[in-house]
Amino acid sequence: MSWLWLEAALPLGIIAGMLCVMGNAQYYIHRAAHGRPKHIGNDMWDVAMERRDKKLVENLSAPSPN
């Protein structure tokens, strides 16, 4: 009777391990595709600010017309 918990712990460990493997796979695939880790909780405001920042950096790094 004392080893009965092991019968449930083994499948639980397998499931938890597979969830970790899937999460890490998504992380590394996204990082390889985009060059940086995924930002968690990005909403429309964050996307707009990221686009604005990128545009500002491009404008500053462009050669001046003078």
Side-chain angles (χ1 to χ4, degrees), residues 24-62:
N24 282 319
Q26 286 181 350
Y27 171 79
Y28 286 112
I29 290 169
H30 187 276
R31 197 177 76 179
H34 298 285
R36 60 191 169 136
K38 183 176 175 140
H39 292 168
I40 305 299
N42 258 9
D43 59 1
M44 294 295 286
W45 176 262
D46 295 325
V47 172
M49 290 297 105
E50 195 172 311
R51 203 175 298 137
R52 179 198 66 130
D53 292 345
K54 186 176 179 185
K55 197 180 296 184
L56 286 173
V57 169
E58 286 174 356
N59 287 344
L60 287 174
S61 63

